[in-house]
Amino acid sequence: MKSFSYDASPARIVFGQGTIREIAEEVRRLGRSRVMVLASRRLDTLAADVTESLGDMAVVRFDGAVMHTPTEVTTAALKLAETHHVDTVVAIGGGSATGLSKALALRAGFDQIIVPTTYAGSEVTPVLGETENGRKTTRSSPHIRPETVVYDVNLTLDLPLDTTVTSAVNAMAHAVEALYSAESNPITDSMAIEALSGIARALPIIVGDPRNVEGRADLLQSAWLAGTCLGTVGMGLHHKLCHTLGGSFGLPHAPTHTVVLPQAMAFNAPAVPEVMSRIATALGVSDAATGVFDLVTSCGGPISLRELGMSHDQIGRAIELATAAAYPNPREITPTGLSELLENAWSGRRPAIR
């Protein structure tokens, strides 16, 4: 028997098809009336529909959210929000919109309604990652976690396949690291296994039929479970490394997770063989790390940091940054071990079966 403590996520979840029509009611439910709508220009039509549904409650729109939540963007959005006396943020999109919403809530106490269009999972976490002067740092606080998440499966039906794959593997990373977290417990373990099974089951279906509603719903629910794991227990080397690569070298968030995950799993495998066995079973493969790598390959996802734009001479700096501070991980992190991991990730080498 394992002793543990567990804090349930208090976020309200609205899940289904067409649920975006319920956003105005969710604002009223929070007792709020002055909304900033966050959405990229790519989502102009969707943002316009939401703005219209909010009526007079929508007082301003901001479309400048970018990856890794740079503090200068947050400052600009906050100034605009304060000018319009905003009390609620409705963020539509992926991790960039969610990250900016969280940063605004932390600074000004705004309520948040997040409407994901990808499988990032960060919408249900109390964690915020921000970049300043080329360094990405994370912090956790109950004030960061959104009040309400509106999952509308219809919003994912036209998500491009490349984004679908990398976003789904990003979600998978949350579940993988939750299983070997120092804070793991039976509740998050169950959610993590279910998330991994769901992603492995749904992703090939969606690659074959991108508008398959049941597959999209399965994947969205799995991402929700994986994100809940991320928000409940601490993460390890994989997340630290991805934050370093993204914040310091400008690599794209979800693709970086996609490339690094199988390599980080292979690195940690000797220290947690039982966990890797459970992951392999959930994925329906014989080896966890190669199973993830092969899933990414079969779905057309990226497998090397080189193809994401990282130069080989940046590996040394990445090792320095990733080993600058201690953090929990099942296997000891050394410059030598990290060098091997990053060399494999840079070249896109298939992990060896252990």
Side-chain angles (χ1 to χ4, degrees):
M1 187 194 79
K2 178 177 181 177
S3 297
F4 65 93
S5 60
Y6 174 75
D7 292 323
S9 169
R12 172 176 166 82
I13 306 296
V14 180
F15 192 101
Q17 285 186 271
T19 50
I20 196 168
R21 293 190 295 268
E22 300 178 32
I23 291 175
E25 181 56 35
E26 291 301 319
V27 174
R28 288 189 284 268
R29 184 178 177 277
L30 292 170
R32 303 302 186 186
S33 61
R34 299 188 65 80
V35 175
M36 169 182 269
V37 175
L38 295 182
S40 69
R41 294 177 185 176
R42 180 179 62 83
L43 298 175
D44 273 348
T45 300
L46 181 57
D49 290 343
V50 171
T51 299
E52 182 179 1
S53 73
L54 288 167
D56 293 341
M57 292 190 294
V59 296
V60 67
R61 158 89 183 277
F62 186 82
D63 62 10
V66 296
M67 286 189 302
H68 310 303
T69 319
T71 54
E72 61 269 23
V73 174
T74 301
T75 299
L78 182 59
K79 182 178 181 180
L80 186 63
E82 290 174 339
T83 298
H84 290 270
H85 306 290
V86 164
D87 58 27
T88 305
V89 175
V90 171
I92 309 165
S96 297
T98 298
L100 178 56
S101 178
K102 288 178 169 183
L104 292 171
L106 182 65
R107 287 163 172 77
F110 302 142
D111 282 348
Q112 302 176 76
I113 297 174
I114 308 296
V115 188
T117 59
T118 69
Y119 307 104
S122 58
E123 65 274 1
V124 288
T125 76
V127 180
L128 168 64
E130 296 182 288
T131 303
E132 185 171 17
N133 299 323
R135 296 290 294 270
K136 187 169 185 178
T137 58
T138 59
R139 65 176 106 177
S140 181
S141 166
H143 303 294
I144 293 172
R145 182 186 281 115
E147 278 67 32
T148 305
V149 180
V150 176
Y151 289 108
D152 190 334
V153 177
N154 291 346
L155 303 186
T156 68
L157 296 180
D158 294 318
L159 189 67
L161 276 180
D162 58 346
T163 305
T164 296
V165 172
T166 58
S167 181
V169 180
N170 181 16
M172 184 176 282
H174 309 330
V176 166
E177 292 227 299
L179 285 165
Y180 54 64
S181 170
E183 301 164 352
S184 67
N185 62 71
I187 310 303
T188 54
D189 282 4
S190 296
M191 288 190 288
I193 291 297
E194 180 60 29
L196 290 168
S197 296
I199 294 169
R201 179 175 59 243
L203 200 49
I205 293 173
I206 294 170
V207 169
D209 179 10
R211 294 185 62 83
N212 186 294
V213 173
E214 291 303 321
R216 290 286 185 179
D218 199 3
L219 191 53
L220 196 56
Q221 287 189 35
S222 299
W224 164 22
L225 290 176
T228 302
C229 294
L230 172 67
T232 306
V233 299
M235 299 286 105
L237 171 63
H238 170 81
H239 281 78
K240 171 65 175 180
L241 196 51
C242 289
H243 285 166
T244 297
L245 295 171
S248 300
F249 305 111
L251 299 188
H253 182 77
T256 301
H257 276 273
T258 303
V259 169
V260 171
L261 180 59
Q263 307 299 344
M265 291 171 66
F267 175 87
N268 278 325
V272 283
E274 290 143 351
V275 170
M276 291 301 163
S277 178
R278 294 181 68 191
I279 293 172
T281 299
L283 299 178
V285 298
S286 59
D287 179 78
T290 57
V292 171
F293 185 92
D294 292 345
L295 177 64
V296 172
T297 302
S298 68
C299 293
I303 58 171
S304 73
L305 294 175
R306 176 172 48 190
E307 66 188 287
L308 301 185
M310 183 178 179
S311 63
H312 189 267
D313 60 12
Q314 290 175 317
I315 290 178
R317 179 57 177 159
I319 293 171
E320 291 177 11
L321 293 170
T323 56
Y327 47 91
N329 191 67
R331 181 180 171 186
E332 181 184 4
I333 299 167
T334 64
T336 300
L338 202 51
S339 176
E340 181 181 358
L341 188 164
L342 284 170
E343 288 285 354
N344 290 338
W346 187 83
S347 63
R349 187 173 296 122
R350 186 175 186 259
I353 297 176
R354 297 184 181 274

